Amino acid sequence: MPMRRHKARAEAKARQAAFQAYLVMDRRVPVSELAGQLLRKAFPDHWSFLLGEIALYSFVLLVLTGSYLTLYFDPSLAQVTYTGSYKPLQGLLVSKAFDTTLQLSFDVRGGLLIRQMHHWAALVFVAAIGVHMLRVFFTGAFRRPRELNWAIGVTLFLLAILEGFCGYSLPDDLLSGTGLRTANTIVMSIPVVGTYLAFFAWGGSYPGTMLSQRLYIVHVLFVPGLLIGLITVHLLMVVYLKHTQWAAPGKTNRNAVGQPMYPAFTARSAGLSLMVFGVTALLAAAIQINPVWNYGPYVPDRVSTNAQPDWYVGFLEGALRLMPGIETNIAGHTFMWNVLLPTVVLPALLFAVLYLYPVFERWVTGDLVEHHLCDRPRDRPVRTGLGVAGIVCYALLLMAGGNDVTAYVFKVPVNALTWTLRIAVIIGPVIAYLLTRRICLALQLHERDLYREGEETGMVRQDLAGGMGERRAGLDRKLRYRLLVRELPRPIADPGPQAPLRHRLRASLSSWYYRDRVQLPTTAEERLQIEGRTADPVAGGVDSEE
């Protein structure tokens, strides 16, 4: 009994201390108000919104495993004799970076598992960001008021690629060294300043002595700091702006419907985090990745066979291999177009398009309305076609990055394969755009038939005149709502031949974007209901969360 009373008094004192601490904080910081708002925050319940969370938990895993690896890794390029447990390389002169990588892999308990988890998490992180951005693009979730958050997401994608390349280059093995040799050529291809930039980054003529230490600092300090800061801002803006949502009964452009943070979303998100950690650990344990001991230490006069970078920069390798060898000399400066165009101009153009696309689409439509309902890709055939064309172009460039391996495996001439891919990378995206656009319009036509006649039941009936026909059933309420409640901008009216060129260009682009559409045979009452559910929340009504 005395022990129980003592335990009860201790628990009461602990509760009282915690309550007093809470009161002290709440009087100085709006803890109760913020906590109440956060716990009531509505989170989406559709699976496509989990892609961003997969990226977030992959990043958490990267930070955890990377922190462990920094305890053992040394980025120095100083030469040492390898004396570790991997016998084929014993006695070989290697860099300190390569030596500590081997020690992590063979002599540190659990080191190889953690190292492979780190590498797999990096691949999943970049992939999840990429797929998440595709979801945002195809559903129009980048539109007002989320343009800034889209720009932050593009920046995160760029930083993730940079972070992956820096980490991939640190072990100083023959494969990563080949990649750095390519990077040196890319930097030197920049006109006028390229040689100076390369000399500064590498600390002298290639291979230099400083790049490894600088990449290490960038990899473990600068880029992770930027990623953490931008991810925090990105999440805060998601909470502030509220999530987009698919059209469904009860979901309009003026509210945000979803599951509360506690307990539904918290439990689901915690389960997803454990799944991400578990699947990454399973990949690391079962599937070998980046076995640097097979490649050996980097020697500048050697190149590893079948050398391809990780997938997120593989398209640059493919662009390099497809670009014909073209150089010009202007005023004593050599312009290596075969390197400059595919590896400097192409990625710069890609990210410029990603950053500016929301501005471009807003200019084409003249749309200043806030959008909180997701577009279905089929309802925006031009935007969807452009997105699919970009994916096809990327896939063809990625395929070209391994043209030597493909030619060897399938016993085809590498030059013939290269020319085939050169042609495909030009006409493939065009065909993909046209085909995707027609498919989207065909799906719209199919939905108009559904709306008119109802869903097929598979039951055939005979009328009084002896004719045979299929029995149709009325549309499900959710499906009917999804078909009706959608935003279909109308093209801007033609300003006439006397209008300024920019106005005529804008009208032409708007007609190209929104000329082809399939209207549903709605009544005046239904059109009024649709306008009410898609109306601008700023023009009237109040945003709400449920």
Side-chain angles (χ1 to χ4, degrees):
M1 288 295 293
M3 292 295 295
R4 290 183 180 178
R5 287 196 297 269
H6 179 73
K7 183 179 180 181
R9 284 196 298 269
E11 291 178 352
K13 288 181 180 179
R15 285 194 296 269
Q16 183 65 22
F19 180 70
Q20 290 295 333
Y22 172 79
L23 288 179
V24 170
M25 287 294 297
D26 193 47
R27 289 167 182 169
R28 292 159 177 81
V29 181
V31 176
S32 298
E33 182 179 353
L34 293 177
Q37 292 180 356
L38 188 60
L39 291 176
R40 291 194 303 271
K41 174 74 177 72
F43 286 87
D45 52 5
H46 194 269
W47 66 267
S48 61
F49 292 89
L50 299 178
L51 296 169
E53 292 186 44
I54 293 175
L56 174 63
Y57 295 133
S58 298
F59 179 72
V60 171
L61 187 58
L62 278 172
V63 173
L64 295 175
T65 55
S67 300
Y68 180 84
L69 295 177
T70 55
L71 301 176
Y72 299 95
F73 181 74
D74 185 346
S76 173
L77 295 180
Q79 297 293 300
V80 297
T81 302
Y82 177 67
T83 58
S85 58
Y86 186 66
K87 293 185 178 180
L89 295 179
Q90 286 180 353
L92 195 65
L93 200 63
V94 300
S95 67
K96 194 71 174 175
F98 188 76
D99 179 67
T100 51
T101 303
L102 291 181
Q103 289 183 16
L104 265 167
S105 302
F106 296 108
D107 301 317
V108 175
R109 185 177 294 274
L112 181 59
L113 177 65
I114 298 298
R115 182 173 157 262
Q116 296 210 146
M117 285 182 66
H118 190 72
H119 202 133
W120 275 114
L123 297 182
V124 174
F125 177 55
V126 181
I129 293 179
V131 179
H132 176 62
M133 288 180 60
L134 287 176
R135 196 276 302 173
V136 172
F137 176 81
F138 285 122
T139 62
F142 56 82
R143 295 171 297 173
R144 186 179 181 183
R146 297 175 179 83
E147 302 98 328
L148 179 58
N149 224 15
W150 167 262
I152 292 174
V154 174
T155 306
L156 286 170
F157 185 56
L158 178 60
L159 290 174
I161 292 176
L162 175 62
E163 178 77 342
F165 176 76
C166 291
Y168 163 84
S169 303
L170 286 177
D172 196 40
D173 60 287
L174 192 55
L175 183 60
S176 65
T178 303
L180 287 178
R181 179 201 295 274
T182 304
N184 181 265
T185 305
I186 292 171
V187 174
M188 292 187 68
S189 72
I190 302 175
V192 183
V193 300
T195 52
Y196 300 99
L197 289 176
F199 193 88
F200 168 75
W202 270 261
S205 300
Y206 183 83
T209 57
M210 299 297 297
L211 184 65
S212 181
Q213 289 90 335
R214 289 171 177 171
L215 285 179
Y216 182 69
I217 295 300
V218 170
H219 182 69
V220 303
L221 181 61
F222 292 158
V223 177
L226 289 173
L227 285 171
I228 291 173
L230 288 176
I231 288 174
T232 302
V233 174
H234 187 73
L235 295 177
L236 289 174
M237 291 189 68
V238 168
V239 173
Y240 174 73
L241 296 173
K242 304 179 179 65
H243 63 269
T244 55
Q245 56 192 0
W246 296 101
K251 297 180 180 180
T252 71
N253 204 39
R254 295 183 178 182
N255 64 6
V257 180
Q259 298 177 340
M261 180 176 181
Y262 183 83
F265 177 78
T266 303
R268 187 180 65 177
S269 187
L272 179 63
S273 68
L274 295 177
M275 290 176 63
V276 171
F277 295 167
V279 171
T280 306
L282 181 63
L283 286 172
I287 304 176
Q288 181 174 270
I289 188 170
N290 199 23
V292 296
W293 52 90
N294 287 339
Y295 309 137
Y298 178 59
V299 180
D301 61 349
R302 298 178 185 175
V303 176
S304 175
T305 58
N306 298 343
Q308 281 85 29
D310 283 337
W311 70 267
Y312 45 84
V313 289
F315 76 102
L316 296 179
E317 176 76 16
L320 265 175
R321 298 188 183 196
L322 293 185
M323 184 69 185
I326 303 174
E327 294 182 2
T328 56
N329 190 287
I330 303 175
H333 296 283
T334 300
F335 287 76
M336 298 188 297
W337 303 112
N338 56 323
V339 179
L340 180 66
L341 291 179
T343 59
V344 178
V345 176
L346 175 64
L349 182 63
L350 167 65
F351 280 96
V353 169
L354 291 176
Y355 278 114
L356 296 177
Y357 184 83
V359 179
F360 171 74
E361 186 169 302
R362 186 175 66 239
W363 177 73
V364 168
T365 61
D367 183 10
L368 298 178
V369 176
E370 285 193 2
H371 297 276
H372 302 288
L373 288 177
C374 291
D375 286 332
R376 293 190 306 160
R378 68 185 64 182
D379 292 333
R380 300 294 181 111
V382 172
R383 181 205 292 159
T384 304
L386 292 175
V388 173
I391 294 172
V392 169
C393 182
Y394 171 84
L396 289 170
L397 290 177
L398 184 62
M399 186 185 303
N403 62 346
D404 55 339
V405 179
T406 304
Y408 176 78
V409 172
F410 292 98
K411 308 297 188 228
V412 296
V414 68
N415 287 334
L417 181 60
T418 299
W419 272 103
T420 301
L421 289 171
R422 282 175 179 172
I423 297 171
V425 83
I426 296 174
I427 67 173
V430 177
I431 295 174
Y433 164 77
L434 295 174
L435 185 61
T436 302
R437 183 167 160 272
R438 295 310 307 171
I439 291 174
C440 289
L441 292 172
L443 290 172
Q444 291 186 43
L445 286 170
H446 172 68
E447 290 180 343
R448 186 176 66 181
D449 292 339
L450 277 180
Y451 181 80
R452 283 176 172 174
E453 303 176 11
E455 292 187 278
E456 298 177 353
T457 62
M459 298 177 62
V460 179
R461 65 177 180 178
Q462 185 176 19
D463 58 24
L464 295 176
M468 306 294 290
E470 183 183 18
R471 185 188 298 274
R472 295 276 184 148
L475 293 181
D476 177 72
R477 177 170 173 262
K478 292 183 178 179
L479 177 59
R480 184 181 179 86
Y481 191 98
R482 188 164 67 246
L483 296 183
L484 287 174
V485 180
R486 56 177 181 168
E487 299 170 311
L488 293 177
R490 294 188 176 276
I492 296 175
D494 187 358
Q498 303 302 323
L501 177 61
R502 67 178 184 277
H503 293 166
R504 286 183 281 129
L505 176 62
R506 181 185 181 188
S508 299
L509 288 173
S510 180
S511 177
W512 171 56
Y513 252 69
Y514 302 117
R515 177 181 63 246
D516 297 325
R517 61 175 60 215
V518 178
Q519 295 282 11
L520 296 178
T522 54
T523 63
E525 176 64 23
E526 287 174 332
R527 287 193 292 272
L528 185 62
Q529 292 290 334
I530 294 170
E531 290 176 2
R533 285 163 173 76
T534 59
D536 185 5
V538 177
V542 180
D543 287 340
S544 64
E545 290 193 80
E546 301 176 16

